[in-house]
């Protein structure tokens, strides 16, 4: 059992909120966890406005905000509740310090889904048995888990239960048998999902079987950020925010974008720092 998870504050100096024992149990059991209502109305307003400009009027943003996680949306990257979860399920503590996160940003995309958009496309599951080069892995010991490639979905608009939130076959990250079609069709009772207010987060291991599904809520579109994190020495998705975007962030947040390596030396011989020459691709 790790006694102390670092860092204890996020880049804005806010105290990290550790996972509760119930959250740990549910995440390990199901492979996903809903964390409702994490943003204030003011934060939501500025993040939503930034996302819409990023999608539809990118040139109107200053260069250092032209990224899914630029400008007002950078607070989502290391929200104190998100860091509390990632400290527990993903961090490699030898590479963490009070100045550096023990995990890295992997890749992201913003999705604006209108009524009827998207389709059912189940993928993943059984990844307890994958080797680590795959990143879609799940490992556990008594009292500790490692979730591998981990998705943090920020739901920026209302999600109504059963009307378009991501679908999960809970527990399938540990499934030993292949998934039969007859029990995993769209209407199978094995699929679980969620409803939540705007500003909520859904964390899931990419080791679980999950799927998109058509958005069926008339009152609003689905506006979500699908951000993935990985352990420090692994990267699955290609790409990294532009140097100007990262340069505008506080130093601790910048460590999310360091290169994908560990090292065992002193100073810059161990990967606990970000600089432009140590930026992931
Ligand atoms: O569109 C969705 O709700 C699911 C997205 C998905 O499959 C993923 O993020 O890996």
């Amino acid at each position: 059992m790790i006694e102390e998870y670092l860092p204890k504050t996020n880049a804005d100096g806010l105290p990290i909120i550790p996972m509760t024992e119930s959250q740990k149990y549910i995440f390990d059991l199901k492979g996903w966890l809903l964390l409702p209502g994490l943003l204030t109305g003011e934060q939501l307003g500025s993040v939503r406005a930034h996302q819409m400009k990023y999608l539809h009027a990118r040139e109107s943003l200053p260069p250092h905000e032209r990224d899914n996680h630029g400008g007002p949306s950078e607070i989502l990257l290391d929200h104190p509740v998100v860091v509390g979860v990632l400290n527990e399920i993903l961090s490699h503590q030898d590479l963490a310090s009070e100045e550096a996160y023990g995990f890295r940003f992997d890749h992201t995309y913003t999705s604006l889904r209108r009524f009827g958009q998207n389709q059912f496309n189940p993928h993943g599951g059984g990844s307890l048995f994958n080797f680590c080069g795959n990143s879609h892995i799940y490992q556990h010991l008594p009292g500790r888990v490692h979730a591998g490639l981990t998705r943090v979905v920020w739901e920026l608009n209302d999600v109504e239960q059963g009307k378009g939130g991501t679908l999960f076959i809970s527990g399938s990250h540990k499934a030993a048998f292949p998934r039969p079609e007859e029990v995993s069709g769209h209407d199978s009772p094995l699929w679980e999902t969620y409803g939540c207010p705007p500003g909520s987060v859904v964390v899931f291991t990419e080791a679980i079987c999950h799927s998109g599904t058509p958005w069926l809520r008339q009152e609003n579109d689905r506006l979500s950020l699908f951000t993935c994190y990985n352990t420090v020495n692994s990267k699955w998705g290609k790409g990294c925010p532009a140097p100007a975007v990262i340069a505008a962030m506080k130093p601790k947040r910048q460590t999310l974008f360091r290169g994908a390596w560990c090292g065992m030396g002193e100073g810059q011989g161990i990967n606990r720092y970000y600089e432009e020459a140590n930026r992931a691709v």
Side-chain angles (χ1 to χ4, degrees):
M1 190 75 173
I2 289 177
E3 297 301 326
E4 189 179 37
Y5 280 111
L6 292 173
K8 296 275 179 220
T9 57
N10 78 352
D12 296 320
L14 300 172
I16 300 308
I17 300 173
M19 283 178 99
T20 65
E21 294 306 309
S22 304
Q23 288 171 337
K24 288 188 220 175
Y25 185 78
I26 292 168
F27 179 79
D28 176 53
L29 184 74
K30 293 193 165 199
W32 64 281
L33 182 70
L34 174 67
L35 300 157
L38 303 185
L39 298 182
T40 64
E42 198 178 327
Q43 288 172 324
L44 251 177
S46 51
V47 169
R48 273 199 203 113
H50 173 256
Q51 294 300 318
M52 296 310 279
K53 278 192 187 159
Y54 177 72
L55 289 174
H56 299 304
R58 202 166 296 180
E59 297 307 309
S60 72
L61 292 169
H64 64 276
E65 293 192 9
R66 283 181 207 158
D67 187 86
N68 314 70
H69 278 294
S73 301
E74 66 176 89
I75 59 163
L76 307 183
L77 279 168
D78 57 350
H79 185 284
V81 173
V82 170
V83 175
V85 172
L86 297 176
N87 270 353
E88 179 70 45
I89 67 171
L90 187 59
S91 182
H92 181 58
Q93 288 297 284
D94 286 348
L95 295 176
S97 74
E98 200 43 66
E99 283 76 45
Y101 296 113
F103 48 85
R104 298 174 54 269
F105 168 88
D106 196 284
H107 65 275
T108 193
Y109 60 96
T110 302
S111 173
L112 179 66
R113 218 164 275 175
R114 302 194 195 281
F115 186 81
Q117 281 183 342
N118 205 39
Q119 54 194 8
F120 181 59
N121 63 337
H123 52 284
S127 304
L128 184 73
F129 308 101
N130 284 341
F131 288 139
C132 65
N134 186 313
S135 277
H136 298 67
I137 57 173
Y138 192 81
Q139 300 171 317
H140 54 173
L141 297 166
R144 280 191 65 191
V145 307
H146 177 76
L149 188 63
T150 301
R151 185 77 72 182
V152 172
V153 186
W154 278 97
E155 298 287 6
L156 299 176
N157 284 340
D158 267 306
V159 179
E160 201 175 327
Q161 178 78 29
K163 293 212 169 169
T166 302
L167 306 180
F168 303 102
I169 298 187
S170 294
S172 59
H173 51 314
K174 302 173 186 172
F177 295 111
R179 172 170 45 89
E181 289 295 323
E182 69 201 62
V183 295
S184 57
H186 187 263
D187 297 325
S188 166
L190 288 185
W191 290 107
E192 290 188 11
T193 186
Y194 54 90
C196 61
S200 300
V201 151
V202 181
V203 184
F204 65 93
T205 168
E206 282 278 339
I208 192 176
C209 178
H210 58 286
S211 178
T213 187
W215 181 253
L216 297 178
R217 186 171 153 84
Q218 304 264 18
E219 292 83 346
N220 57 266
D221 298 331
R222 184 182 185 191
L223 177 62
S224 345
L225 255 89
F226 287 85
T227 299
C228 256
Y229 298 80
N230 213 329
T231 194
V232 175
N233 67 342
S234 294
K235 187 141 164 46
W236 181 258
K238 191 176 176 187
C240 190
V245 174
I246 303 175
M249 294 179 183
K250 293 185 176 154
K252 202 182 291 186
R253 198 165 282 144
Q254 291 176 335
T255 67
L256 292 171
F257 304 101
R258 71 195 118 153
W261 59 279
C262 290
M264 296 172 72
E266 299 293 317
Q268 294 201 346
I270 183 162
N271 197 7
R272 292 199 191 110
Y273 70 99
Y274 170 84
E275 60 178 35
E276 212 175 309
N278 185 25
R279 188 171 65 97
V281 291

